[in-house]
Amino acid sequence: MKIAVYPGTFDPVTNGHLDIIRRATNLFDEVVVAVLRNSQKSPLFSTDERVNILKVVTEDMPTVKVLSFDGMTVNFVRSCGANVMIRGLRAVTDFEYELQMAQTNRVLAPDIDTMLMVTSLEYAYLSSTIVKELASFGENIDRFVPPYAAEKIREKFNR
């Protein structure tokens, strides 16, 4: 069984993330979407909320499992029985950072490969940060995130 792990903060999950997840399900028997618990960031959603949102928006993808983790990503990848980590690329600016991380991970864990997936062109500009900023100004975010995520984001900003 070929398992891949797609780690990230997913705060919030966007249609660009879903594009990568959906395409990865065509390449692997199982895709673990790994939600990072990062104490250095102040996320809009708690880890549990992000996991729940991802479970709802990927429920039509039976080979996707959503889990949370902290610590070194390569250790989590190993704990899942995977040897591939997926990372998404939107633009050239992402490439430098992702290349550096992939090379570092390769030194730390030579048994784990990083697969860089270029997002579909229609989502190349999209980021969680942009979605949160638009939502904070009351803009319509429906075309950027799945409907359930949009509902949860609006709830956060209506408080």
Side-chain angles (χ1 to χ4, degrees), residues 23 28 32 34 45 68 71 81 91 99 121-122 125 129 147 150 157:
R23 289 171 39 222
F28 297 94
V32 178
F45 292 102
S68 63
L99 178 64
L121 188 57
E122 64 193 295
Y125 64 91
T129 302
F157 284 104

Side-chain angles (χ1 to χ4, degrees), residues 35-38 43 45-52 68-69:
V35 179
L36 175 63
R37 267 185 242 113
N38 188 342
F45 292 102
S46 71
T47 303
D48 289 343
E49 288 172 319
R50 287 179 278 145
V51 166
N52 177 61
S68 63
F69 79 103

Side-chain angles (χ1 to χ4, degrees), residues 11-13 44-46 48-54 56-57 131-132 135 141-142 145-159:
D11 185 48
V13 61
L44 178 63
F45 292 102
S46 71
D48 289 343
E49 288 172 319
R50 287 179 278 145
V51 166
N52 177 61
I53 292 167
L54 275 157
V56 169
V57 303
V131 170
K132 287 185 282 196
I141 55 169
D142 292 346
V145 296
Y148 183 73
E151 175 186 324
K152 294 299 177 186
I153 295 165
R154 279 192 283 275
E155 285 176 14
K156 286 285 183 181
F157 284 104
N158 285 334
R159 288 186 187 163

Side-chain angles (χ1 to χ4, degrees), residues 6 10 12-23 53-54 57-58 61 90 118-128 131 140-150 153:
Y6 180 28
F10 304 103
V13 61
T14 68
N15 289 335
H17 293 129
L18 282 182
D19 171 56
I20 297 289
I21 295 167
R22 193 170 305 283
R23 289 171 39 222
I53 292 167
L54 275 157
V57 303
T58 60
M61 298 179 230
R90 292 171 299 200
V118 178
T119 193
S120 295
L121 188 57
E122 64 193 295
Y123 305 118
Y125 64 91
L126 188 55
S127 71
S128 295
V131 170
N140 184 333
I141 55 169
D142 292 346
R143 69 186 131 188
F144 307 122
V145 296
Y148 183 73
I153 295 165

